[in-house]
């Protein structure tokens, strides 16, 4: 009979035992056998532990699925398996700066973990949220190009990068893949991930009865207005600024809330900070909010943000072929829950819009998208 001889490392005790298994042994049964034969492995709940096959590259280490057999993983005699706890703490940062520590199962995919993360935070529609890895060591390859030859692919890369930074597109947000684990995507155990709404589908239902999601919606909308993702007029910017003042400081107090009180860069997009009378205009809008509570003011802010044409749009900077010319020009591609848009990269005005119901076919390759 063929026997597989494996070195089992019980991590918390630094104990290594050589054990023999039949290759057809299920991973679940292997874990049970280890607990029975190794005293140091008899701690905690059995369901919290699993077998981990490590690699020199931490991203390539894998958790063995309990329903699979050992021979499925093509293990060889002398291979080392770690018997260790699957649960570990993961720090999650909210857009308002709050950081929460959530216990996650390291063997599960991001999609599975979002159910756990969102429920602990108080979010029910977890499928509309995702997590972003804010620090990435490797620079992604640029997929932009022209229709001529490879040697011209990067000639205006610098220009495109500047545009991308200015426009705050979704290209550079490092959303984690829901079908893979944190480990497979190079997430360090001590890293903090950013939780952010990725899809705007049921946000219309978020109101004062759901203060957690309301706050997350408010913070995301506020940041997108201040950084220029949602371009607004001076009057509209001041209206948003006035509601924001109501949220942060409560009802307007005449002798206290006057020019010189605000740090305008926290209340207005940068192009309006030096505009004459800006702070006075914000306080007028603040005054118009009357006795609104913080929650009521957030509802008002989010409702006003939803009226913006760019609200709920994911923007990607692309290049589009000019008609009858062998030339590519920058263009924003916008995706919403209802449509696909061609958007002017300077003004963010919608040039053309296709409802998703009218799309007959589409195709995508690593460097192109055809609709």
């Amino acid at each position: 009979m063929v026997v597989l001889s494996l070195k089992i490392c019980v991590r918390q005790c630094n104990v290594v035992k050589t054990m023999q298994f039949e290759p057809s042994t299920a991973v679940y049964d292997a874990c049970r056998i280890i607990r029975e034969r190794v005293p140091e492995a008899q701690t905690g709940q059995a369901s919290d532990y699993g077998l981990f096959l490590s690699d020199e590259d931490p991203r390539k280490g894998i958790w063995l699925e309990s329903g699979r057999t050992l021979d499925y993983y093509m293990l060889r005699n002398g291979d080392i398996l770690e018997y260790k706890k699957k649960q570990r703490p993961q720090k999650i940062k909210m857009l308002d700066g709050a950081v929460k520590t959530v216990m996650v199962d390291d063997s599960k995919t991001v999609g599975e973990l979002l159910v756990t993360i969102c429920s602990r935070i108080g979010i029910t529609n977890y499928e509309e949220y995702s997590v972003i890895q804010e620090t990435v060591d490797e620079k992604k390859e640029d997929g932009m190009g022209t229709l001529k030859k490879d040697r011209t692919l990067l000639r205006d890369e610098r220009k495109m990068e500047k545009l991308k930074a200015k426009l705050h597109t979704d290209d550079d947000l490092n959303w984690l893949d829901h079908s893979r684990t944190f480990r497979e995507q190079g997430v360090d155990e001590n890293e903090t991930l950013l939780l952010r709404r990725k899809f705007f589908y049921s946000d219309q239902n978020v109101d004062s009865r759901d203060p957690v999601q309301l706050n997350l919606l408010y913070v995301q909308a506020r940041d997108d207005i201040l950084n220029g993702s949602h371009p607004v007029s001076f009057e509209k910017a001041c209206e948003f600024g006035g509601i924001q003042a109501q949220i942060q400081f409560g009802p307007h107090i005449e002798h206290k809330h006057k020019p010189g009180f605000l740090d305008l860069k926290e209340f207005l997009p940068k192009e309006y900070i030096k505009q004459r009378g800006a702070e006075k205009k914000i306080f007028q809008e603040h005054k118009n909010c009357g006795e609104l509570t913080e929650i009521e003011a957030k509802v008002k802010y989010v409702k006003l943000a939803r009226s913006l044409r760019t609200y709920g749009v994911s923007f990607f900077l692309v290049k589009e072929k000019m008609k009858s010319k062998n030339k590519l020009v920058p263009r924003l591609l916008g995706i919403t829950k209802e449509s696909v848009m061609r958007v002017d990269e300077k003004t963010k005005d919608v040039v053309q819009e296709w409802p998703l119901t009218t799309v007959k076919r589409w195709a995508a390759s690593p460097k192109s998208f055809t609709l």
Side-chain angles (χ1 to χ4, degrees), residues 238 241-242 262 264 268 278-286:
C238 290
L262 297 177
L264 286 179
L268 287 173
E279 194 169 4
K280 187 177 178 182
K281 177 81 171 160
I282 288 174
F283 281 132
Q284 183 56 52
E285 296 292 346
H286 182 192

Side-chain angles (χ1 to χ4, degrees), residues 206-212 214-215 218 239-240 242-248 250-251 285-286 288-306:
V206 176
D207 56 22
S208 57
R209 293 168 296 180
D210 191 348
V212 174
L214 176 64
N215 182 58
Y218 158 68
E239 188 177 354
F240 278 116
I243 304 170
Q244 185 182 333
Q246 182 82 7
I247 293 166
Q248 291 186 213
E285 296 292 346
H286 182 192
N288 293 343
C289 291
E291 297 297 315
L292 287 180
T293 64
E294 180 185 341
I295 293 285
E296 290 168 338
K298 283 179 180 176
V299 170
K300 182 172 181 171
Y301 192 104
V302 169
K303 189 176 179 181
L304 186 61
R306 285 189 185 120

Side-chain angles (χ1 to χ4, degrees), residues 127-151:
E127 65 276 0
E128 293 181 48
Y129 284 81
S130 191
V131 281
I132 293 171
Q133 191 176 18
E134 295 186 280
T135 52
V136 186
D137 294 332
E138 295 176 21
K139 181 169 170 59
K140 293 179 182 177
E141 287 185 25
D142 193 285
M144 292 295 177
T146 67
L147 297 181
K148 293 182 182 177
K149 296 179 181 177
D150 289 346
R151 61 186 168 81

Side-chain angles (χ1 to χ4, degrees), residues 142-145 156-172 314-320 329-334 343-346 348 367:
D142 193 285
M144 292 295 177
D156 55 353
E157 180 185 347
R158 191 173 297 168
K159 179 184 173 186
M160 293 297 283
E161 288 301 322
K162 281 183 181 177
L163 257 180
K164 211 177 279 184
K166 181 182 176 184
L167 294 167
H168 298 279
T169 63
D170 287 49
D171 302 77
D172 291 331
S314 293
F315 287 112
F316 300 92
L317 185 62
V318 299
K319 285 185 175 181
E320 182 181 65
V329 293
R331 181 74 70 208
L332 280 177
L333 182 72
V343 181
D344 186 278
E345 77 281 1
K346 294 187 177 72
K348 284 199 175 175
K367 293 185 178 180

Side-chain angles (χ1 to χ4, degrees), residues 71-106:
D71 58 1
Y72 172 82
Y73 295 97
M74 294 185 286
L75 298 170
R76 293 172 297 184
N77 285 327
D79 279 351
I80 298 174
L81 290 178
E82 292 180 46
Y83 178 80
K84 66 177 186 175
K85 201 169 186 178
K86 293 184 284 187
Q87 298 283 333
R88 69 168 180 83
Q90 175 63 56
K91 288 183 179 178
I92 302 292
K93 187 168 81 172
M94 322 289 274
L95 283 172
D96 61 4
V99 177
K100 297 183 183 292
T101 301
V102 180
M103 291 302 290
V104 297
D105 185 332
D106 197 46

